[in-house]
Amino acid sequence: MNILLTGGAGFIGSNLAQYLLKTYPNDKVITFDKLTYAGNLESLKSVEGNSSHIFIKGDICDAPLVRKTFKDYDIDAVLHLAAESHVDRSILGPKEFIETNVMGTFTLLEEAKNAWGSGSENVFVNVSTDEVYGSLGKTGAFTELTPYAPNSPYSASKASADHLVRSYFHTFGLKVITTHCSNNYGAFQFPEKLIPVIILNALARKKLPIYGDGLNIRDWIHVLDHARGIDVALRSGKAGEVYNFGADAEWTNIDLVRFICSELDELRPATDTRPYSDLIEFVKDRPGHDQRYAIDSSKAKTELGWSPENDFKTAMRSTIKWYLDNLDWTERVKSGEYISYYAENYKDR
Ligand code: NAD
Ligand code: DAU
């Protein structure tokens, strides 16, 4: 297959590109990425020089370039991950979220439909999030039948994209599949999401900012389990269907941060010997902060034969070690465009 992977220089995309190229040496992966602040070619270093990998710097809203890419590389599958992905940024400035997540997805759908023509068996996988389902109470979990109730401009933009994707199946017969995943952790996550923020701030002995009372719950999955899920959805999923991926690892933010701190106390004890958890500080809550996410992945398990392979505590320990071993990566990706944004919006950190 010639696979168009959008957003392949981001966190999940770069892990997915590495996974696909290792697992399917006969497939070609065409990574298409705008290289925003969140996209870094350095995350794709391990596949540099691999003749099955092509990188194209481009914006998914650029219809002529997307059209040319379909034609030049005879694309026969799309894994669509390109997005503005950070909830906090969507609160500070939603416009780019609407442009990339809604208009960009629309552009890709149009170009796939036109390039493949009617009756094509080629598949378009739309990688979405559990956040489109809104917030849960104390019990229950999101299933594929949970009604949409997005609460942030980010989740609303992803929900809009999902609806467009669905409509291209029903109206035009485009073979689409949408996946919803819970919070990912692992190597190459951009250092403004919770886990890398905590690790890097702790090492720098800066405060560890916890929004609100820290009792919000996220359901964590290792990024490579998500990557395998996307791949199996592409190869074994049914067109028009939706699959949820999660790994049954619900943590309150405060417990998760305390766990990371205790791991760091062992792996990299602070020179003043004070526990890292001393740095925890409760800060102003995120507006519209969803209380709890939890995913029911029984459909993916029974219909796709997928299940997560990584145990949370073991894989989280490896993730912390990865950051400790790759501090130069974090420094480099935080340079440039990101620095000025951070200075302007997160002065107090
Ligand atoms: P990320 O922010 O790390 O990466 C996004 C990538 O998209 C970057 O490389 C960026 O340069 C690229 N991009 C942004 N705008 C673009 C545009 N207009 N044209 C082309 N490329 C563009 O995000 P991530 O965490 O890797 O998430 C990837 C996808 O998975 C997103 O669609 C996100 O909604 C979804 N998702 C993420 C999570 C998670 O926990 N991170 C969970 C579920 C779903
Ligand atoms: O659920 C899937 C989603 O997970 C994806 O769709 C998003 O792209 C991804 O960014 C992630 O969204 P979250 O908002 O859940 O992730 P984030 O790492 O920003 O925050 C995780 C939790 O930690 C959330 O409850 C907010 C809280 N938080 C976050 C930061 C950055 C803090 O308490 N302090 C922080 O500094």
Side-chain angles (χ1 to χ4, degrees), residues 18-19 23 33 41 104 144 152 184 227 292 325:
Q18 294 174 54
Y19 173 79
T23 315
D33 197 295
L41 279 180
E144 289 78 1
S152 72
N184 287 218
R292 174 171 167 258
D325 292 342

Side-chain angles (χ1 to χ4, degrees), residues 7-13 32-40 58-61 80-85 100 127-130 154 158 181-184 189-190 193 226:
F11 165 44
I12 302 171
F32 189 101
D33 197 295
K34 187 177 170 181
L35 297 182
T36 66
Y37 78 93
N40 292 283
D59 186 332
I60 55 167
C61 299
H80 174 36
L81 283 83
E84 285 293 336
S85 73
T100 287
V127 176
S128 185
T129 168
D130 58 358
Y154 161 69
K158 292 292 290 185
C181 191
S182 59
N183 284 64
N184 287 218
Q189 184 164 34
F190 192 80
K193 303 282 174 81
H226 184 195

Side-chain angles (χ1 to χ4, degrees), residues 205-221:
R205 296 213 71 77
K206 288 186 183 163
K207 79 173 171 195
L208 310 181
I210 299 196
Y211 298 163
D213 59 9
L215 296 180
N216 302 69
I217 292 175
R218 295 293 180 265
D219 189 359
W220 294 92
I221 182 172

Side-chain angles (χ1 to χ4, degrees), residues 23-240:
T23 315
Y24 307 101
N26 295 327
D27 284 356
K28 269 205 158 47
V29 175
I30 295 91
T31 297
F32 189 101
D33 197 295
K34 187 177 170 181
L35 297 182
T36 66
Y37 78 93
N40 292 283
L41 279 180
E42 222 187 308
S43 307
L44 290 166
K45 224 180 170 77
S46 71
V47 296
E48 215 176 68
N50 184 325
S51 58
S52 299
H53 184 237
I54 287 136
F55 178 78
I56 296 169
K57 182 175 188 301
D59 186 332
I60 55 167
C61 299
D62 180 350
L65 182 60
V66 173
R67 193 168 311 143
K68 183 171 171 352
T69 305
F70 268 91
K71 190 161 170 280
D72 288 355
Y73 297 100
D74 196 16
I75 298 298
D76 35 33
V78 174
L79 298 178
H80 174 36
L81 283 83
E84 285 293 336
S85 73
H86 192 190
V87 175
D88 292 335
R89 283 181 184 247
S90 82
I91 296 165
L92 289 163
K95 190 162 177 276
E96 278 166 345
F97 287 72
I98 309 307
E99 280 164 6
T100 287
N101 301 359
V102 184
M103 292 307 293
T105 302
F106 161 71
T107 305
L108 280 171
L109 287 166
E110 264 301 283
E111 296 309 323
K113 168 173 81 72
N114 294 339
W116 292 342
S118 68
S120 166
E121 289 303 312
N122 294 341
V123 175
F124 184 114
V125 179
N126 168 49
V127 176
S128 185
T129 168
D130 58 358
E131 298 201 9
V132 298
Y133 298 127
S135 186
L136 288 164
K138 281 193 173 27
T139 56
F142 299 131
T143 74
E144 289 78 1
L145 299 175
T146 303
Y148 275 38
N151 292 319
S152 72
Y154 161 69
S155 52
S157 68
K158 292 292 290 185
S160 311
D162 295 355
H163 291 320
L164 281 170
V165 168
R166 178 190 155 92
S167 77
Y168 271 64
F169 173 73
H170 288 282
T171 305
F172 303 115
L174 188 69
K175 303 263 181 294
V176 303
I177 289 169
T178 287
T179 64
H180 299 282
C181 191
S182 59
N183 284 64
N184 287 218
Y185 65 95
F188 299 108
Q189 184 164 34
F190 192 80
E192 69 183 2
K193 303 282 174 81
L194 178 68
I195 288 171
V197 162
I198 296 304
I199 300 170
L200 299 173
N201 278 20
L203 294 175
R205 296 213 71 77
K206 288 186 183 163
K207 79 173 171 195
L208 310 181
I210 299 196
Y211 298 163
D213 59 9
L215 296 180
N216 302 69
I217 292 175
R218 295 293 180 265
D219 189 359
W220 294 92
I221 182 172
H222 190 264
V223 64
L224 288 176
D225 283 327
H226 184 195
R228 282 190 307 102
I230 296 168
D231 176 49
V232 83
L234 167 66
R235 287 165 211 268
S236 314
K238 195 165 159 237

Side-chain angles (χ1 to χ4, degrees), residues 254-266:
I254 182 67
D255 283 349
L256 175 61
V257 170
R258 287 205 177 110
F259 174 71
I260 295 172
C261 287
S262 68
E263 290 299 311
L264 280 172
D265 286 337
E266 261 182 48

